[in-house]
Amino acid sequence: MQQHTQLVLDQSTSGTKLLVVQEGKIIKRYDRKHEQIYPQIGWVEHDPLEIWGNVEELFVTALKENRLSSKGIQTLSLTNQRETVIIWDKTTGMPLYNAMVWQCNRSTAICESLIGEGKESLVSEKTGLRIDPYFSGSKIKWLMDEYPEIKEKSGTGELAIGTMDAWLIWKMTEGEVFATDASNACRTLLYNIHENDWDEDLLELFDVSRKDLPEIRNANALFGKYQGIPIQGVLADSQAALYGEDCINCGDVKITMGTGCSILMQVKEKKNIRDPRILTTLAWQDTQETTYALEGIIRSCGDALNWFGSQIAKVEEIAYQCNKCFDISQEEVYFIPALLGMGAPYWNNQMTASFLGMKRTTTQTDLLKAVLESLIFQIKSVIDTMEEVSQLTIPQVFVDGGISKNKALMAQLATLLNKKVIVSDIEEYSAIGTLRMATGNIPITTVGEQVYFPINGDTIIKNKYKKWNDLIQRFS
């Protein structure tokens, strides 16, 4: 019945999804892709107006096809790509520049300058993060430095700076609500995870006025209304997946294999863990608790496959073979997946991608297998580092995202990690997490899960990982 209907908006790096949920079950999903804009090498942008137009179209389509009216929908929840930042004029409602995507490396020089000035320890202590172009702070500073018209509006009350959630909430409420939640705010390098607020020292460091930033609300708070529907339940996508996978105990780990790959370990109240290889981030903040997580960020996951499919060979033509029988390639071919530099635990923005070990006998299938192997190799390096830093043994990991549907690859991941790998039959854990946040953790119907166990005595993939890791260390 319509009175038990919720909507979830999932705005990701590659597109926007709108899910219709009735009686705790996802009954329909609608998708719209948006353009990936690459003005220069290493620069990545999205058009905020295109994304907003997609949201409007999806909403109209979902209501029409399911014969719904706004009055009968209980909540509209939101989960979103993190770190991507938008600056817009509150008076005109127009963006002053395209959304600068989390993948964008154009602020590398700013980060290197701040690190050279010795600011890394200050930022790490306050935020749990690194000074890196991945995060929003240096992107904002780049825009302030490059565009005087943006700088001139700063602090006047006319300028809005926010992550994707803040932009969409502002648009949905027609400018009445300018707000974000802590899981998004903590990814900007402007948020103090000890004080749970914007930090004056960090604002000064990145040349940002507090007046330009959104109000920070609890994830389960009310964020206004869209066409009469309460907007409730707002979480950044990776943290939402952690919540959706029910990773609530210390040491629980989830791996989301999307455009990039986010590996999060629940650490509850342990917000003081610091290691340059691994991040400490806020997981979620609601009316009941504030909890934290360790995170390893992999820059290129599904993005590496998209690149391979567009530049080398159509992935669909050979992916079936790899999925049906992912026998580890006998070719000593390795892929360095630094299409956008390397993330955790290596953190090298200058590193570039390459294939190593190709011979006349190397095929396109061998190359694709090398790309797939590099994805689980990166996960292995992060999991090993997490165990070392946390001094906890991880017995199992939960995996979601499109690439997790490759059963043979997941079986190899279990053997490589020497851990149980649990893969859900659905991809929507970010949406499930934010919906649970909105509805007080009511049961959500999921399909099932596939469990993979390590194969004892299988050393081929482990030996290949050692050689791959040696190559990464050599080129770092």
Side-chain angles (χ1 to χ4, degrees):
M1 296 176 62
Q2 184 164 318
Q3 64 265 29
H4 300 295
T5 300
Q6 291 92 24
L7 298 179
V8 184
L9 184 65
D10 185 345
Q11 202 296 298
S12 71
T13 307
S14 59
T16 305
K17 296 178 286 190
L18 184 65
L19 289 84
V20 181
V21 183
Q22 290 184 340
E23 305 295 335
K25 181 179 180 180
I26 299 171
I27 64 165
K28 197 76 174 179
R29 165 178 155 176
Y30 299 89
D31 293 83
R32 289 284 188 281
K33 296 289 184 182
H34 56 257
E35 182 184 3
Q36 306 297 311
I37 304 169
Y38 306 102
Q40 296 183 30
I41 295 174
W43 293 26
V44 189
E45 299 176 1
H46 294 157
D47 180 351
L49 295 178
E50 179 190 7
I51 290 173
W52 170 241
N54 289 344
V55 170
E56 291 185 299
E57 289 178 16
L58 289 172
F59 187 81
V60 170
T61 301
L63 264 62
K64 181 179 180 180
E65 290 191 2
N66 294 277
R67 299 180 181 180
L68 299 170
S69 69
S70 299
K71 293 181 181 179
I73 299 172
Q74 288 181 307
T75 57
L76 171 61
S77 301
L78 171 63
T79 185
N80 58 282
Q81 55 170 310
R82 309 176 301 170
E83 296 94 16
T84 296
V85 67
I86 305 165
I87 297 182
W88 68 96
D89 188 317
K90 288 182 178 177
T91 304
T92 65
M94 296 297 292
L96 297 175
Y97 195 84
N98 275 339
M100 199 180 296
V101 181
W102 58 269
Q103 297 167 308
C104 189
N105 282 335
R106 77 184 67 183
S107 59
T108 297
I110 291 173
C111 293
E112 290 175 347
S113 176
L114 291 173
I115 292 170
E117 294 171 12
K119 302 298 184 181
E120 183 87 274
S121 60
L122 170 71
V123 171
S124 175
E125 174 55 33
K126 287 176 178 285
T127 69
L129 309 177
R130 301 169 55 96
I131 296 179
D132 191 272
Y134 184 96
F135 304 106
S136 312
S138 63
K139 302 179 192 297
I140 298 169
K141 181 167 175 53
W142 187 92
L143 287 166
M144 291 288 182
D145 291 346
E146 296 293 323
Y147 291 89
E149 60 270 30
I150 293 178
K151 178 64 176 175
E152 289 172 6
K153 289 182 179 291
S154 181
T156 65
E158 298 178 9
L159 195 69
I161 301 174
T163 44
M164 189 62 69
D165 59 310
W167 162 250
L168 293 178
I169 290 167
W170 193 84
K171 292 294 289 183
M172 287 190 288
T173 62
E174 298 182 330
E176 290 187 8
V177 177
F178 181 39
T180 187
D181 89 300
S183 71
N184 280 291
C186 75
R187 311 301 295 184
T188 61
L189 294 183
L190 307 175
Y191 180 90
N192 189 315
I193 63 173
H194 303 282
E195 299 177 0
N196 293 316
D197 196 5
W198 305 119
D199 185 275
E200 292 301 329
D201 292 335
L202 299 174
L203 296 179
E204 182 179 355
L205 187 66
F206 290 101
D207 199 18
V208 180
S209 170
R210 182 183 283 264
K211 292 182 180 179
D212 303 337
L213 296 173
E215 173 193 352
I216 302 168
R217 298 184 180 181
N218 289 331
N220 58 348
L222 181 66
F223 286 77
K225 294 183 178 182
Y226 178 45
Q227 298 188 20
I229 304 172
I231 303 169
Q232 189 172 13
V234 176
L235 275 174
D237 55 9
S238 290
Q239 287 97 318
L242 188 74
Y243 196 70
E245 295 265 23
D246 204 28
C247 292
I248 59 175
N249 297 314
C250 195
D252 287 349
V253 173
K254 75 88 199 174
I255 302 168
T256 299
M257 301 182 73
T259 302
C261 179
S262 168
I263 304 171
L264 284 172
M265 171 193 271
Q266 174 67 251
V267 294
K268 301 298 283 185
E269 74 285 352
K270 298 179 181 180
K271 58 186 174 182
N272 294 314
I273 299 173
R274 295 292 183 274
D275 188 282
R277 298 167 296 171
I278 293 292
L279 309 175
T280 298
T281 191
L282 189 144
W284 56 77
Q285 182 179 73
D286 60 17
T287 52
Q288 301 297 318
E289 64 177 353
T290 300
T291 186
Y292 299 85
L294 298 184
E295 182 174 18
I297 292 169
I298 295 170
R299 296 183 186 277
S300 292
C301 188
D303 182 61
L305 289 177
N306 292 337
W307 165 81
F308 186 91
S310 64
Q311 299 296 330
I312 298 179
K314 295 298 182 183
V315 172
E316 304 82 41
E317 296 175 4
I318 52 180
Y320 175 74
Q321 177 184 348
C322 291
N323 189 49
K324 182 179 179 183
C325 183
F326 190 82
D327 55 318
I328 297 303
S329 176
Q330 298 304 307
E331 293 279 321
E332 287 288 322
V333 181
Y334 298 91
F335 181 59
I336 308 299
L339 294 165
L340 295 163
M342 291 292 284
Y346 308 102
W347 295 106
N348 187 332
N349 294 320
Q350 304 305 319
M351 199 169 177
T352 56
S354 61
F355 286 101
L356 299 171
M358 289 189 292
K359 298 179 292 190
R360 288 295 296 265
T361 54
T362 300
T363 67
Q364 289 182 343
T365 301
D366 292 321
L367 297 180
L368 177 57
K369 287 183 177 181
V371 173
L372 290 168
E373 289 167 9
S374 77
L375 305 185
I376 62 175
F377 290 166
Q378 291 177 94
I379 291 171
K380 164 72 170 172
S381 65
V382 169
I383 293 295
D384 285 353
T385 306
M386 280 184 167
E387 289 189 321
E388 178 189 341
V389 170
S390 67
Q391 298 184 341
L392 295 172
T393 298
I394 301 168
Q396 62 186 25
V397 297
F398 296 88
V399 187
D400 62 89
I403 298 174
S404 68
K405 303 311 169 193
N406 188 322
K407 295 181 179 180
L409 186 65
M410 293 300 98
Q412 290 293 343
L413 177 62
T415 296
L416 179 62
L417 297 179
N418 195 32
K419 302 180 189 304
K420 183 165 68 173
V421 170
I422 303 169
V423 179
S424 172
D425 288 340
I426 63 170
E427 301 176 21
E428 313 298 349
Y429 271 109
S430 293
I432 288 172
T434 193
L435 181 59
R436 282 177 169 166
M437 181 61 69
T439 57
N441 210 23
I442 64 169
I444 307 297
T445 302
T446 56
V447 179
E449 59 188 24
Q450 179 75 47
V451 180
Y452 301 89
F453 295 93
I455 300 174
N456 294 328
D458 188 345
T459 60
I460 297 175
I461 189 67
K462 295 177 181 179
N463 289 336
K464 289 200 79 173
Y465 168 72
K466 290 177 182 178
K467 293 179 181 179
W468 177 89
N469 192 48
D470 287 344
L471 289 170
I472 297 292
Q473 299 290 354
R474 186 187 309 171
F475 287 96
S476 292

